[in-house]
Amino acid sequence: MPKPKNYILGIDLGTTNSCASYVDDHGIPRIIRSSNGTTTLPSVVSIDKNGRPIVGQPALDHMITNPSDTIYGSKRLIGRKFRSLLVQEMVGIMPYNIVSGTGGEAAVLMGGQIFDLSEIASLILCEIKEYSEGALETELENVVITVPAYYTDSQRQAVKRAGEMAGFNVNRIVNEPTAAAIAYGLNKNYKQRVLVYDLGGGTFDVSVLEIRDNDFKVIATGGDTFLGGIDIDIRLTGHLIENFKDHMGKDLVKEKIAIARLRLAAEQAKCQLSIMKTTELFVPFITEINQKAADLKLMITRDTLEKLSVDLIERTLSMCDEVLETSGIKKSSIDEIVLVGGQTRMPLIYDKITKHFRKKPKKGVHPEEVVALGASILANPTIAVSPVTLKDVLSIPIGIAMNNGKFRIILRENTPLPASRTFKLTQNRAETLMVDVYQGNRERIMENEYLGTFCFPPPEEDEKGRSLDMRFELSKECILRVSMRNPHTGEQDLSEMITLQTPHSLKRSMEEALQNSKMEKSTGFRAFAQRILGMER
Ligand code: AMP
């Protein structure tokens, strides 16, 4: 039996592909190949005819025959509410069924069973654990997992949970562009201001970092977790459907298997058009017309693809400008641009960035592997010639709902991490005080992402009008903890984040419970929440 080694994995849990890395015995970060011999694993989960989950390439192969039971792009859904606008948008686009989980979060239906998105992600992580253990011939327990910089607290928590479900100790969650910058800059003695432009399958992130030797300091970040290669595929698939309708007189929109095949063909054509100017797209027997097999055959040019997607790419550039502007950073002060994510292989992106910044992006960084490499370096900082220090920032503001429906920001974007802020609340009335916490940058509360509700039990008669200190703490990996203190008595942690339901449904259940006079103060708030909401915490 080989001696167990304490390797710590770095995993880039991607929307389209995932990738794992470790630092070998000579201190060199290496990518671990999947069972198929590839450096990345398709982030796809399906179910076989015996009801067993399958992951990676075999699941991707299932997409054609069983699109309703094949889950891809789930990284966009994880940690989100089913009712949120973005999830509702995906309900109409994805061939599989997106449903509401028990706590109101988005979940998926696979093989007739409801899976929450942490379970789906954990199946991908389990597969990575298994093939990595096979490759390294040792058990692996510890991991650093990357997430988009623009992930909310709920999304980060859901990924952490997925790692734990897969049997890992999640040592750290780190932002993808930050991990990429570490892999790019480690031990190079750079003194640079770097912009990381990260366009993967499902998400876009932009981060600006100051690199001083092995000191990495994020100074600004932004992005969109609903913008990536998938959106370009959707545009091209739409174009194929229109073209087929015009020439063959049949609308394929409702044919799920045809759409799944078109989507895969569109993605392939998109990738080929990064090398060639023209490609032929051929999907045999896409449908039946007048009881005869009909094929889809079409020449696609790079020019057509670019016209279909240019506005999406321009949106990424506007986001870069916004991030620079809000942080007072001049475009001309950027020393290097590092491209991350498979979608940045598209020549239009390279050209647009070069024109926009009047600077050619840096070549020589592997866009699909650099994030996982950075994560494994961060997991094994001893390989650095001088200590690695990393300072990240909060990417999306966190705040509370005001009575007028407005959002009061408590922690602003680009606040250096770790961070904390305390503010005072007055509890006048003899009733439970509820504070809804949101994350987002919209003025109207409902347009932001709901994180949860904090409840404070009613004050005693002689304590009415008491003021409480509500404290928001963000860890260095941007995970939120809220606590409440009564400064007069010194009592700590009066509150609990009791639910991830919508505030509306929570309030309804609270009101019902109060009407039934079932609230017994003496049993404490935790018991109260458990009884009313059926929650075990
Ligand atoms: P990632 O999340 O970094 O694995 O990136 C995946 C995305 O990159 C998917 O949308 C792919 O279709 C896209 N992609 C991969 N290779 C290429 C390529 N050669 N040209 C254009 N897009 C690509």
Side-chain angles (χ1 to χ4, degrees), residues 23-166:
V23 171
D24 73 11
D25 299 338
H26 307 286
I28 303 189
R30 301 211 179 268
I31 295 294
I32 306 172
R33 288 184 179 270
S34 74
S35 334
N36 275 357
T38 49
T39 53
T40 57
L41 175 86
S43 306
V44 184
V45 177
S46 190
I47 206 144
D48 69 12
K49 49 182 187 305
N50 301 316
R52 274 193 298 262
I54 44 176
V55 180
Q57 189 58 47
L60 189 59
D61 297 340
H62 255 229
M63 183 146 28
I64 291 177
T65 51
N66 192 2
S68 337
D69 283 329
T70 306
I71 315 299
Y72 70 93
S74 58
K75 186 176 166 183
R76 282 186 163 182
L77 296 168
I78 194 167
R80 289 191 189 274
K81 296 278 143 317
F82 175 68
R83 298 227 160 275
S84 69
L85 288 177
L86 293 175
V87 171
Q88 289 306 310
E89 214 174 272
M90 276 192 72
V91 169
I93 295 174
M94 289 316 205
Y96 51 84
N97 284 312
I98 303 170
V99 295
S100 176
T102 43
E105 74 284 359
V108 291
L109 208 59
M110 190 172 68
Q113 275 186 61
I114 294 182
F115 285 81
D116 84 40
L117 273 311
S118 289
E119 287 172 320
I120 296 291
S122 84
L123 290 169
I124 299 169
L125 292 170
C126 269
E127 175 70 20
I128 294 175
K129 188 169 190 281
E130 204 174 301
Y131 77 66
S132 302
E133 288 183 341
L136 304 183
E137 296 182 338
T138 185
E139 279 184 19
L140 297 163
E141 281 180 357
N142 295 301
V143 69
V144 169
I145 307 178
T146 62
V147 294
Y150 218 62
Y151 251 17
T152 62
D153 178 68
S154 321
Q155 292 170 300
R156 285 164 198 268
Q157 303 266 17
V159 169
K160 207 165 180 179
R161 215 163 38 243
E164 286 157 6
M165 278 183 200

Side-chain angles (χ1 to χ4, degrees), residues 14-17 199-202 229-230 233 267 270-271 274 341-343 345-346 367-368:
T15 314
T16 320
N17 297 300
L199 189 64
I230 289 181
D233 305 342
E267 187 184 358
K270 174 191 79 175
C271 294
S274 292
Q343 192 55 53
R345 292 185 186 275
M346 187 183 196
E368 282 104 345

Side-chain angles (χ1 to χ4, degrees), residues 78-81 118 147-161 173 175 225 394-399 411 417 437-440 449-452 454 472-475 477-482 497 499-500:
I78 194 167
R80 289 191 189 274
K81 296 278 143 317
S118 289
V147 294
Y150 218 62
Y151 251 17
T152 62
D153 178 68
S154 321
Q155 292 170 300
R156 285 164 198 268
Q157 303 266 17
V159 169
K160 207 165 180 179
R161 215 163 38 243
I173 296 283
N175 290 338
T225 44
L394 168 68
S395 53
I396 317 175
I398 292 178
L411 288 160
L417 299 173
V437 179
Y438 285 79
Q439 190 162 19
E449 192 78 19
Y450 170 63
L451 295 184
F454 288 82
F472 285 69
E473 281 169 276
L474 280 171
S475 68
E477 49 192 345
C478 207
I479 290 192
L480 178 68
R481 181 174 179 274
V482 179
M497 170 93 103
T499 182
L500 282 176

Side-chain angles (χ1 to χ4, degrees), residues 241-252 289:
I241 294 170
E242 282 303 308
N243 193 281
F244 193 81
K245 195 159 84 184
D246 288 351
H247 288 92
M248 308 294 282
K250 186 164 183 192
D251 194 347
L252 297 173
I289 299 178

Side-chain angles (χ1 to χ4, degrees), residues 343-359:
Q343 192 55 53
T344 60
R345 292 185 186 275
M346 187 183 196
L348 181 65
I349 294 184
Y350 188 89
D351 296 344
K352 283 267 175 196
I353 291 180
T354 306
K355 274 207 194 94
H356 193 78
F357 289 96
R358 299 200 186 145
K359 185 177 289 313

Side-chain angles (χ1 to χ4, degrees), residues 15 75-76 148-151 176-177 195-207 221-229 231 312-321 323 338-340 343-344 349 353 357:
T15 314
K75 186 176 166 183
R76 282 186 163 182
Y150 218 62
Y151 251 17
E176 288 161 9
L195 182 139
V196 180
Y197 175 105
D198 181 356
L199 189 64
T203 55
F204 172 67
D205 273 332
V206 52
S207 289
T221 191
D224 185 341
T225 44
F226 258 67
L227 180 56
D231 301 289
L312 298 174
I313 291 150
E314 278 166 358
R315 226 165 92 197
T316 64
L317 295 174
S318 310
M319 263 179 260
C320 292
D321 288 348
V323 163
V338 177
L339 299 185
V340 179
Q343 192 55 53
T344 60
I349 294 184
I353 291 180
F357 289 96

